[in-house]
Amino acid sequence: MPLPLPRRGRGSRLAGSRVAGTSLPRARARSPKRAGRGTQLLSHAQRLTRRRHSSEQVTPEPEQQADFRSGKWLEERAGGDARDSQQALLAGMGSRHRFFSQEEVVIPCASDNDSGSVDLQLSNLDDIKKGESSIEFTDLDIPDIPGLPLESFTDSFRHLAYEGPLSEASVQRLIQSIQEVIGGHPLKGELEKLTFLQSLSSLSQNIPYDETTDTFILSHLEDIVHILNDLVQEEPLRSLFNPVRQEVFVTIANLSYHNVHLLFGSEDRADLFQLITRSMITLPPLKTLTQLQEITPSGPYDTECLYRQTFQAFSEMLQILVVKDPHLENLDTIFQHLDPWLQSPKDHERKRATASMAQVLKCLSKHLCLKPPLRFQRLGHLVAVMALLCGDPLQIVAEEAAEGTHYLLHITLRMKYVTHDKKNHPNLRKALKRCRDFLELYNIKRFYRYPFKIAQVFEVFLNSDELCQFVMTTLDGLKNLRHPYTQQAAGELLMTLVKNAESRFEKVPEIMGIICARLSIISQPRVRQQIISTVSLFISRPKYTDIVLSHLLCHPIPYDRYLTELWRTLEAELPSTTWILWRLLRKLQKCHMVPTQEKMAYVAVAATCALYEVFMGNRLRAAMLRLFPQLLMTLLIQIHHSIGLTMSDVNIPSGLYSEQEVSTEVTPLCFAIRATKSLLLRTLCWQEFHIMEKNKGWTLLEEKDRHLQGISLLANTLLERNQLLAHKVMYLLVPFLNRGNDKHKLTSAGFFVELLQSPVARRLPSKYSTARLKDWLNHENEAFRILALRGLYNLIRHQEMVRPDVHCFSMTLFGAAIKSVKHTDKKGVENQVLDSLVPLLLYSQDENDAIAEESQRVLTICAHFLKWKLPQEVYCRDPLYIRPTEAGKICRFFGIKCRGKINILAQTLMYSKNTKLPIRRAAVVFVGLLSKYMDQNELSIKGTDWIQNDLREMLHDPEPSLRIIVSQALFRVQKAMAEPEPEPSVCWLRKLMGCLPT
């Protein structure tokens, strides 16, 4: 049976330019049958103000364009016809009104001529706090922000007249009709549905006067929720042909106004809230709805008018929820239901959700209740969502979001002031001052032009949990592939927040996880670099370095292109680069400190791969040079550990390769070799790299039985070509030899014994050199015993351990031995005599007179043995470097005599590295003078680069005289290459005389 129509009150309604009641107009009828229900069109001002706040645009009329939230324009347009527009709305409703009390609801089509200021004067915030909690606070005496006057928080609601309570008979009729529906009577057709909803609304207005009404509604609350749920579900999602949705919103608003909450308090009510939100937000765009009506007319209502009234009712309903219960937890609930639509990829859904959220925030900012407990768990998330919307490509969405952010800042200031700890009062003062200083530069109403500035304003008020929410939500904005501008805004927001918030973040691993997951979907290189810069900011903070590294190392290797880009483009300030690289290196070193396991730790392989990518990026080159010894030795040790292993021998964390199989083409060894090669190249060790490659040193390193040979080759090459780095490695190895497992110690020992050839090794205390080598002689591992012998040999050969008298005696013995050689043995001894000429000649320049004289004497014996007559200049007592003429004659004699017999130049060059300065000087002088007597065939094949390279290294010798002599020798060598000495000619007469018998 049809439900009886409810009795309706007939009180007058007040209208104004800024205040509108909550009575909702009915859709304008297009059928003559409904003319009695009111057919007036909306007034001119009403249409204009609705156009600003609704989510769809009305066809523009030739009128002045409004400024952003321009109150003046609205006053001019609304002042003359506000009452007419209200009457039009009332006529559209028929005789039924919606009656609330003396409170204002901010509806989307209301005029908005306030300046939208934010109060940062803490004395006023003190008053708020005192009024709410009766606790006394002192004024922090922070002045107002210029141009942002205080907005009133007092109620300015208008009284809506009402004739009085319903009669008892009317109440009973309404209860009976509602009871029938609750009892199972189906609602058939639009009329019965509307009648039922209007009966509920009318009955709700009797709640303040009648306990029976209150009891009835509360006892059947869940039934009413289920009926409303069914009504909304029956409405088509893709069309709007009747006002049932609108009437549902109005009914919920009326009941909520009288503290009967149909959307809060239970799971069924939350489901209803979600359903009605989806039914409103997901409606097609107004243009589509209008076209649909033209194609299939199915009702007496004007679609555009019906849509606007329905959306207005929805927005009013949301505002009623916060007006009647203005606690932050209700805002949390409302935001929870609007959140998916605020981030919708569809423009019309995002516009509706943003307009609704902005109005809820405005309404709450005027009626906010700050009595404990204050529960708003999603502040950081809400700030980030609004900030992203401020960068929306649709200007209307950006403007709505900017206004909503304005009111959200107002709410945040008041909430933080009430909830802050007294001990942190100075911190709050500082935060508010920062906010004030910033807002003096940027108008808060223009947030939509500078969305990333929101991070700078709000950051000072967000705690660690809220900061994390902000970051997580901003990272979600990177998923927006349809709007690249949103990605750009997200990147700027994230960079700004992390840079300003410094070390107040928690849940950094979760943040890193989302960043790594989002890198692949960021389409813009600039935004991707902003995200990588954010990672750089995190990793450069010592508090987060290990956390970030641990997360980045828990990814499949080889790294994909996006993580590779991240490792290669990591940047930090110079003091932080060494710290970052050192912490990454320590991840690898710790794996070498434990006994050799059955399987290699995954972090060892991942860290090696990461080091390779960092070296390739070359952004941390200063740190690489500083940490070269540690990096080189750690990578060589990793090579030793990786020999013969495949990825199946690595302890890979479960689930790491869930989406892909482990590549069989890569091994732990290949990562270690790559990293070592790139380290040498990035630290400009080009010659060392070349020698290793030329002598198959990398192959030696990769083989188990010849690994130490490769280590020996690299150590000798480094010592020969770059003594500074070699000496740094040697000093590092002193403590390194006592650490780690057997492979760690063996690799370190192999490198160390080769560096004992350096004269600098003499500076090492005996307990770090000879004593250690002596211990290795008794080591159970044969490799250590061999290394000990090698080390002792290098140590003795290159240290001056022979006394001068012993040296003289040894030369005397050598001379006597030459004299005693029999004629038949002379041919076998000749080569040894020739090899002794260069040492004897050079030691004739020794600073010890006894050694010099004995050298000259034994040199004479050798010449007699060879049947040579030495030039008298050999016996010159002055140093030859100051007697170039005499030195030239000596070199000419020996250069011609030894040609084709021994490489006298190479022997002499060897002594240029002698520890005694006089010997080095004489050797360099002889090298320069002997170069002109080089064999021409040898010269054409080998060239002189090997000579020049050794000489150039001595240009940095601290002794000035030696540097000058070296430069002269270099000149002579280069000249010899350009102008070789002609072969000596013999005249025909001497040839003839030589042929005559004597």
Side-chain angles (χ1 to χ4, degrees):
M1 60 175 290
L3 293 171
L5 291 175
R7 175 180 178 271
R8 302 174 182 83
R10 299 184 179 276
S12 63
R13 295 292 302 275
L14 298 177
S17 62
R18 294 192 66 251
V19 181
T22 58
S23 295
L24 300 178
R26 291 294 171 270
R28 178 172 61 85
R30 297 189 302 140
S31 169
K33 295 180 181 180
R34 296 187 60 88
R37 297 290 303 271
T39 59
Q40 294 185 21
L41 293 173
L42 293 176
S43 69
H44 181 65
Q46 193 71 20
R47 288 176 59 83
L48 289 176
T49 52
R50 285 191 180 182
R51 175 181 10 172
R52 171 63 185 87
H53 289 280
S54 65
S55 65
E56 305 291 345
Q57 290 289 340
V58 178
T59 304
E61 301 179 18
E63 306 212 3
Q64 179 182 357
Q65 181 64 35
D67 292 335
F68 176 70
R69 289 292 175 188
S70 173
K72 180 178 179 181
W73 175 78
L74 289 172
E75 288 177 358
E76 291 174 353
R77 297 299 179 186
D81 57 359
R83 185 172 300 275
D84 294 339
S85 67
Q86 187 66 27
Q87 294 299 325
L89 293 176
L90 292 175
M93 291 179 57
S95 60
R96 184 169 61 85
H97 298 172
R98 303 293 173 212
F99 295 99
F100 302 128
S101 67
Q102 301 178 1
E103 298 191 37
E104 171 192 0
V105 177
V106 185
I107 60 175
C109 62
S111 173
D112 190 13
N113 61 358
D114 60 302
S115 61
S117 64
V118 171
D119 175 33
L120 290 182
Q121 185 175 7
L122 291 186
S123 59
N124 291 322
L125 290 176
D126 279 331
D127 293 339
I128 294 169
K129 191 165 185 176
K130 292 173 187 176
E132 295 291 349
S133 58
S134 299
I135 300 176
E136 294 296 329
F137 287 86
T138 58
D139 185 7
L140 294 184
D141 193 25
I142 297 181
D144 287 333
I145 293 178
L148 294 175
L150 176 65
E151 181 169 339
S152 172
F153 292 102
T154 60
D155 288 342
S156 57
F157 307 118
R158 294 181 177 270
H159 177 69
L160 303 177
Y162 182 58
E163 292 179 353
L166 300 174
S167 66
E168 184 176 351
S170 298
V171 170
Q172 289 302 320
R173 285 197 302 271
L174 290 173
I175 290 177
Q176 181 181 358
S177 63
I178 295 171
Q179 184 70 57
E180 289 179 0
V181 178
I182 292 175
H185 178 77
L187 294 175
K188 298 179 181 179
E190 174 189 337
L191 181 59
E192 289 191 6
K193 293 178 182 179
L194 293 175
T195 304
F196 170 76
L197 293 170
Q198 291 166 9
S199 297
L200 266 179
S201 294
S202 297
L203 187 62
S204 69
Q205 296 179 32
N206 209 51
I207 290 176
Y209 307 102
D210 183 11
E211 186 175 348
T212 303
T213 302
D214 188 24
T215 303
F216 171 77
I217 292 179
L218 292 178
S219 63
H220 294 88
L221 202 56
E222 296 307 318
D223 296 322
I224 294 173
V225 169
H226 289 147
I227 294 172
L228 294 181
N229 196 305
D230 292 339
L231 289 177
V232 176
Q233 286 186 352
E234 291 172 4
E235 292 300 304
L237 292 176
R238 307 303 300 170
S239 61
L240 182 65
F241 294 129
N242 64 66
V244 172
R245 275 191 186 87
Q246 174 186 347
E247 199 65 40
V248 169
F249 301 151
V250 171
T251 301
I252 294 174
N254 281 323
L255 288 168
S256 298
Y257 190 84
H258 294 290
N259 298 315
V260 178
H261 299 295
L262 300 180
L263 304 181
F264 300 144
S266 71
E267 186 175 347
D268 288 340
R269 300 179 199 182
D271 290 342
L272 177 60
F273 201 164
Q274 181 181 11
L275 179 63
I276 63 175
T277 303
R278 185 174 68 248
S279 71
M280 181 68 246
I281 301 296
T282 59
L283 281 174
L286 178 57
K287 183 178 180 181
T288 304
L289 292 174
T290 305
Q291 291 174 347
L292 185 61
Q293 184 186 42
E294 293 174 355
I295 296 172
T296 57
S298 58
Y301 307 102
D302 178 77
T303 299
E304 181 176 344
C305 183
L306 178 61
Y307 166 78
R308 297 192 183 284
Q309 293 170 4
T310 303
F311 181 70
Q312 178 181 335
F314 174 75
S315 187
E316 281 183 349
M317 177 197 71
L318 296 179
Q319 295 171 66
I320 288 292
L321 297 179
V322 296
V323 167
K324 294 306 296 180
D325 191 6
H327 287 85
L328 287 171
E329 55 188 310
N330 287 341
L331 174 61
D332 208 348
T333 303
I334 294 172
F335 174 52
Q336 180 181 355
H337 290 289
L338 286 176
D339 185 22
W341 313 114
L342 290 169
Q343 302 181 67
S344 171
K346 298 180 179 179
D347 292 344
H348 64 280
E349 293 178 355
R350 212 165 57 253
K351 286 161 62 178
R352 292 168 188 160
T354 305
S356 300
M357 194 70 221
Q359 291 305 315
V360 168
L361 290 170
K362 178 177 181 180
C363 194
L364 183 62
S365 72
K366 295 183 177 181
H367 305 95
L368 180 62
C369 177
L370 294 173
K371 292 180 180 179
L374 295 177
R375 297 190 183 96
F376 185 43
Q377 306 299 326
R378 295 156 59 88
L379 177 60
H381 181 47
L382 177 56
V383 174
V385 169
M386 300 304 289
L388 290 171
L389 288 170
C390 287
D392 198 276
L394 293 179
Q395 183 171 347
I396 186 172
V397 173
E399 291 178 356
E400 291 283 3
E403 182 176 4
T405 306
H406 155 60
Y407 294 115
L408 179 58
L409 179 60
H410 205 162
I411 294 168
T412 303
L413 290 175
R414 299 175 69 198
M415 179 182 68
K416 293 295 181 179
Y417 186 72
V418 170
T419 58
H420 83 282
D421 190 347
K422 289 184 179 179
K423 296 179 181 178
N424 293 329
H425 218 55
N427 293 336
L428 181 64
R429 175 199 293 269
K430 182 180 178 181
L432 289 172
K433 186 177 185 302
R434 281 182 60 188
C435 181
R436 180 200 64 186
D437 293 343
F438 182 82
L439 292 177
E440 285 178 347
L441 300 176
Y442 293 95
N443 184 349
I444 195 169
K445 286 282 192 173
R446 298 294 180 179
F447 268 153
Y448 71 93
R449 290 187 179 178
Y450 312 101
F452 67 94
K453 300 295 183 183
I454 297 175
Q456 292 177 279
V457 175
F458 276 89
E459 170 266 321
V460 294
F461 301 110
L462 302 181
N463 59 35
S464 58
D465 287 337
E466 292 161 351
L467 285 172
C468 185
Q469 291 176 14
F470 189 106
V471 171
M472 296 292 195
T473 306
T474 304
L475 289 171
D476 283 340
L478 297 174
K479 295 186 298 185
N480 196 328
L481 303 178
R482 292 187 58 191
H483 300 296
Y485 189 81
T486 302
Q487 278 195 354
Q488 182 179 341
E492 292 175 348
L493 282 168
L494 193 60
M495 274 261 328
T496 304
L497 187 71
V498 174
K499 188 180 296 184
N500 285 274
E502 296 182 350
S503 57
R504 294 195 291 122
F505 288 94
E506 296 178 358
K507 300 181 181 179
V508 174
E510 290 84 346
I511 295 174
M512 289 299 106
I514 296 180
I515 286 178
C516 293
R518 297 287 184 270
L519 282 175
S520 61
I521 64 174
I522 301 175
S523 55
Q524 301 182 72
R526 178 171 176 266
V527 177
R528 192 160 54 249
Q529 191 54 52
Q530 287 176 331
I531 302 305
I532 294 175
S533 298
T534 301
V535 177
S536 299
L537 289 173
F538 273 120
I539 204 172
S540 62
R541 307 285 184 192
K543 178 180 178 181
Y544 303 129
T545 305
D546 286 341
I547 298 174
V548 175
L549 286 176
S550 297
H551 183 82
L552 293 179
L553 294 176
C554 288
H555 286 81
I557 53 175
Y559 298 114
D560 60 31
R561 55 177 290 197
Y562 306 105
L563 277 176
T564 296
E565 181 185 8
L566 190 152
W567 282 114
R568 294 188 180 188
T569 56
L570 278 178
E571 281 189 300
E573 296 179 357
L574 188 59
S576 299
T577 56
T578 304
W579 168 253
I580 295 170
L581 196 55
W582 169 245
R583 296 313 301 169
L584 179 57
L585 181 63
R586 285 295 295 162
K587 297 281 186 185
L588 179 55
Q589 287 179 343
K590 288 179 181 178
C591 299
H592 302 156
M593 298 301 172
V594 297
T596 305
Q597 304 292 323
E598 183 179 350
K599 285 195 171 186
M600 177 177 286
Y602 180 79
V603 68
V605 188
T608 306
C609 187
L611 285 171
Y612 166 71
E613 299 300 348
V614 170
F615 297 159
M616 292 300 294
N618 208 27
R619 297 291 182 93
L620 308 182
R621 185 167 176 269
M624 291 163 56
L625 292 171
R626 182 174 297 179
L627 296 176
F628 177 83
Q630 294 92 330
L631 289 166
L632 178 63
M633 291 312 306
T634 303
L635 289 172
L636 290 176
I637 293 167
Q638 177 63 16
I639 290 175
H640 197 169
H641 281 84
S642 303
I643 293 174
L645 299 184
T646 63
M647 289 303 292
S648 61
D649 299 311
V650 178
N651 188 15
I652 300 175
S654 60
L656 187 62
Y657 286 87
S658 57
E659 298 181 359
Q660 63 185 75
E661 295 182 357
V662 181
S663 175
T664 57
E665 297 180 359
V666 296
T667 63
L669 183 60
C670 77
F671 290 125
I673 291 291
R674 288 178 190 173
T676 309
K677 288 181 177 180
S678 60
L679 174 65
L680 291 179
L681 294 174
R682 288 305 190 189
T683 52
L684 304 183
C685 296
W686 296 97
Q687 294 183 8
E688 294 83 342
F689 179 87
H690 172 69
I691 292 173
M692 285 291 291
E693 196 169 66
K694 182 178 180 181
N695 294 279
K696 302 187 183 303
W698 303 117
T699 304
L700 294 175
L701 286 174
E702 294 175 354
E703 297 180 6
K704 182 178 181 180
D705 297 333
R706 300 200 294 170
H707 173 74
L708 289 178
Q709 295 181 37
I711 293 292
S712 175
L713 176 62
L714 181 56
N716 279 284
T717 302
L718 191 66
L719 184 61
E720 180 184 353
R721 299 296 179 180
N722 199 326
Q723 291 188 7
L724 179 62
L725 287 180
H727 294 157
K728 287 183 178 181
V729 173
M730 183 176 66
Y731 286 122
L732 168 73
L733 287 172
V734 171
F736 232 57
L737 290 167
N738 296 325
R739 301 175 186 168
N741 52 35
D742 289 344
K743 291 183 178 180
H744 183 289
K745 292 177 181 177
L746 193 59
T747 301
S748 302
F751 210 100
F752 179 73
V753 297
E754 298 302 328
L755 297 182
L756 290 178
Q757 301 176 59
S758 170
V760 179
R762 289 185 302 169
R763 303 175 187 173
L764 294 176
S766 61
K767 66 177 181 179
Y768 297 134
S769 55
T770 54
R772 180 170 282 160
L773 295 175
K774 189 183 298 183
D775 292 339
W776 290 350
L777 286 173
N778 301 318
H779 201 283
E780 60 183 7
N781 189 331
E782 183 183 0
F784 275 102
R785 296 197 294 271
I786 295 173
L787 290 175
L789 292 173
R790 174 73 177 169
L792 287 171
Y793 171 76
N794 290 334
L795 201 59
I796 293 172
R797 188 178 66 168
H798 283 272
Q799 292 195 21
E800 293 296 326
M801 302 178 67
V802 182
R803 297 195 307 270
D805 54 343
V806 177
H807 192 174
C808 288
F809 184 64
S810 65
M811 286 192 293
T812 302
L813 287 177
F814 180 75
I818 295 297
K819 286 182 179 181
S820 64
V821 174
K822 297 180 180 179
H823 180 75
T824 56
D825 298 329
K826 282 189 175 182
K827 193 65 178 175
V829 179
E830 184 178 353
N831 288 335
Q832 297 181 30
V833 175
L834 288 170
D835 288 337
S836 68
L837 293 177
V838 170
L840 291 171
L841 181 61
L842 292 175
Y843 273 102
S844 69
Q845 299 294 304
D846 197 281
E847 57 190 358
N848 187 299
D849 292 340
I851 294 176
E853 290 175 1
E854 188 61 23
S855 297
Q856 291 174 354
R857 192 185 71 81
V858 176
L859 184 61
T860 303
I861 294 173
C862 292
H864 181 73
F865 178 86
L866 296 171
K867 298 182 179 181
W868 294 356
K869 183 179 181 181
L870 295 175
Q872 289 300 316
E873 287 79 7
V874 170
Y875 305 105
C876 178
R877 291 185 176 274
D878 294 330
L880 290 178
Y881 76 91
I882 65 173
R883 304 292 294 270
T885 304
E886 286 78 358
K889 291 180 180 180
I890 294 172
C891 290
R892 175 179 176 80
F893 174 82
F894 281 97
I896 294 174
K897 287 289 185 181
C898 295
R899 181 179 292 171
K901 298 178 181 178
I902 59 171
N903 193 339
I904 188 173
L905 186 59
Q907 281 188 343
T908 308
L909 188 63
M910 220 167 56
Y911 281 87
S912 66
K913 299 177 183 178
N914 194 278
T915 56
K916 291 186 175 182
L917 178 61
I919 306 302
R920 294 206 308 275
R921 275 197 296 230
V924 172
V925 170
F926 286 171
V927 166
L929 294 171
L930 287 170
S931 61
K932 62 194 299 186
Y933 303 108
M934 286 182 63
D935 184 79
Q936 294 303 309
N937 292 330
E938 182 182 2
L939 183 66
S940 61
I941 295 173
K942 296 176 63 176
T944 59
D945 288 346
W946 58 283
I947 305 174
Q948 295 185 51
N949 290 338
D950 281 1
L951 291 176
R952 286 195 180 96
E953 288 183 6
M954 289 184 284
L955 287 173
H956 304 289
D957 194 282
E959 173 57 38
S961 63
L962 184 62
R963 294 200 300 268
I964 294 173
I965 294 171
V966 168
S967 63
Q968 294 172 347
L970 266 173
F971 174 75
R972 290 190 177 104
V973 171
Q974 292 167 354
K975 184 177 180 182
M977 185 66 184
E979 304 174 6
E981 185 76 6
E983 293 286 339
S985 58
V986 181
C987 68
W988 65 272
L989 182 59
R990 288 190 61 185
K991 289 183 179 180
L992 178 62
M993 293 296 293
C995 295
L996 295 177
T998 55

